Amino acid sequence: MDDEHRNGGPTELIYLPKSSWQPALIAAGIAGVLASLFTWWPYGVVGAVVALVGAWAWIRGSRRDFARLPRRQRLTSAVIPPVPLKRR
């Protein structure tokens, strides 16, 4: 294949978060709180603690991942100036 027809390397970097167990932990905690409305009240206390610990861990991990991101990306493509289109 000719070099002129070949795509170059990626011009932007996309960062995806890694998989996490915290959303499932929060959901289980909320389920415990809701179950305590119809059953024994200590289920709600345990569910609330589990949900709070899961939320705390999720926020802490997200902040750590955000802090590792590069602050600037080098642009390799042309930047289109923000000029309104003219009517004919």
Side-chain angles (χ1 to χ4, degrees), residues 4-72:
E4 65 186 46
H5 296 294
R6 188 176 299 178
N7 289 339
T11 59
E12 296 178 351
L13 298 176
I14 298 173
Y15 295 97
L16 297 174
K18 57 185 175 185
S19 60
S20 175
W21 51 267
Q22 285 95 354
L25 193 63
I26 293 170
I30 291 173
V33 170
L34 292 176
S36 74
L37 296 175
F38 304 104
T39 60
W40 198 35
W41 65 268
Y43 292 146
V45 173
V46 171
V49 169
V50 167
L52 288 175
V53 167
W56 176 76
W58 197 5
I59 290 169
R60 192 182 89 218
S62 297
R63 289 180 64 178
R64 184 175 50 242
D65 290 343
F66 181 73
R68 285 190 289 196
L69 292 176
R71 295 295 162 228
R72 292 183 184 209

